[in-house]
Amino acid sequence: MIELKSAEEIGRMAVTGQFVGELLAELSGVAAVGVNLMDLEHHARRRIAERGAESCYWDYAPSFGRGPFRNVLCLSVNDAVLHGLPHDYVLRDGDLLSIDMAVSIDGWVADSALSVVVGTPDPADLKLIEATEVALEAAIAAAQPDGRLGDISAAIGEVARSYGYGVNAEFGGHGIGRTMHEAPHVSNDGRPRRGLRLDPGLTLAIEPWFCRSTDKIKFDGDGWTIRSADGSRTAHSEHTVAITAAGPQVLTCRPTPGDAPADATRKPAAAA
């Protein structure tokens, strides 16, 4: 069932979204050559606890996972694109890192992701990240009241193809609100003017992700981490968006450099 949110409820989701956006920006600044993935994980755990928020990932147990997820971040490196299980890995020069998180504050959820290169970037990696960001912007622009869900999906697919990337439709965006995953599924490819009508009050997590040279994926033995089937690099961008009568409203906006919270420069806590 799809639940349309009131303006007040969207406002409460925006409170959560602001925290998610700030913490993602903070984590992207902490990520650097020599930083362990578990340092990022424990940094996020501390910040979530300080805010009185709850991770939507902790104890998440979908059909494809191997046991409940016992982390607050998905950290996916290089050819890993989704659901990367945080582990003892020290970031190296040129690594492409995707950070994905969802939390709940006072019963309302927001979900967002970004990709960054640590150290010296490969131009091909920057192009891949750019493609996901441009696709996300196009999808948000297409999320207009009285439009159709296919408009969002088609916008993502069109950008992917314009950059020369294929699209995998096995995993995509989703409805969001009181829980992390609600109806409808938001495919990363589709046909415009088809599908569910975009009524004001609909809230969606829109998340384009691309692999550099394939549209096929494979799972690690951990049952969680999803990689490109051919080992090529990957990238992922995501925002939580509300459809309003005035147009799409991004609920997980990130502060621009220099506008991050005062504690954003704190060192990550050491992994336990």
Side-chain angles (χ1 to χ4, degrees):
M1 185 180 76
I2 294 173
E3 178 189 12
L4 300 179
K5 283 72 174 180
S6 68
E8 179 185 2
E9 290 169 337
I10 290 172
R12 294 175 69 181
M13 288 181 66
V15 171
T16 309
Q18 179 180 357
F19 171 73
V20 169
E22 289 176 351
L23 183 50
L24 269 180
E26 186 175 321
L27 290 165
S28 69
V30 171
V33 176
V35 171
N36 194 299
L37 293 184
M38 292 308 299
D39 290 338
L40 295 174
E41 166 70 17
H42 283 268
H43 183 87
R45 290 186 195 182
R46 174 174 55 81
R47 292 283 284 113
I48 290 169
E50 289 172 351
R51 180 58 180 80
E54 295 183 8
S55 170
C56 297
Y57 291 172
W58 196 271
D59 278 343
Y60 179 53
S63 59
F64 60 83
R66 179 173 295 176
F69 198 83
R70 290 294 173 86
N71 295 278
V72 303
L73 296 177
C74 290
L75 297 172
S76 306
V77 181
N78 295 332
D79 62 325
V81 64
L82 296 173
H83 310 154
L85 202 64
H87 60 285
D88 182 16
Y89 175 84
V90 176
L91 290 168
R92 303 168 183 171
D93 187 46
D95 277 347
L96 197 166
L97 171 67
S98 296
I99 308 172
D100 191 359
M101 65 174 292
V103 304
S104 173
I105 296 176
D106 296 329
W108 293 97
V109 177
D111 188 1
S112 189
L114 56 75
S115 294
V116 295
V117 177
V118 299
T120 309
D122 181 331
D125 289 342
L126 295 181
K127 176 188 173 185
L128 183 61
I129 293 171
E130 176 186 275
T132 66
E133 293 173 342
V134 171
L136 181 56
E137 291 172 2
I140 293 168
Q144 297 294 332
D146 297 324
R148 296 286 177 171
L149 192 63
D151 299 339
I152 296 173
S153 300
I156 294 171
E158 182 178 350
V159 170
R161 285 183 284 274
S162 74
Y163 275 82
Y165 304 128
V167 179
N168 180 289
E170 294 175 65
F171 291 88
H174 47 88
I176 189 170
R178 299 177 190 273
T179 62
M180 178 171 59
H181 287 138
E182 299 181 353
H185 172 71
V186 184
S187 176
N188 283 335
D189 200 9
R191 299 172 65 184
R193 298 178 297 281
R194 297 296 180 93
L196 178 76
R197 189 176 67 186
L198 302 178
D199 290 326
L202 182 65
T203 48
L204 304 171
I206 302 173
E207 49 179 315
W209 58 272
F210 307 140
C211 308
R212 188 188 291 179
S213 58
T214 185
D215 61 0
K216 303 295 191 297
I217 56 174
K218 62 183 180 181
F219 284 80
D220 273 5
D222 61 28
W224 285 102
T225 306
I226 298 175
R227 299 183 184 274
S228 62
D230 63 357
S232 61
R233 294 265 174 127
T234 65
H236 178 204
S237 294
E238 178 182 15
H239 272 310
T240 295
V241 180
I243 312 297
T244 77
Q249 178 184 350
V250 178
L251 305 183
T252 47
C253 289
R254 300 168 199 135
T256 56
D259 293 337
D263 64 352
T265 57
R266 289 188 294 180
K267 299 293 185 182

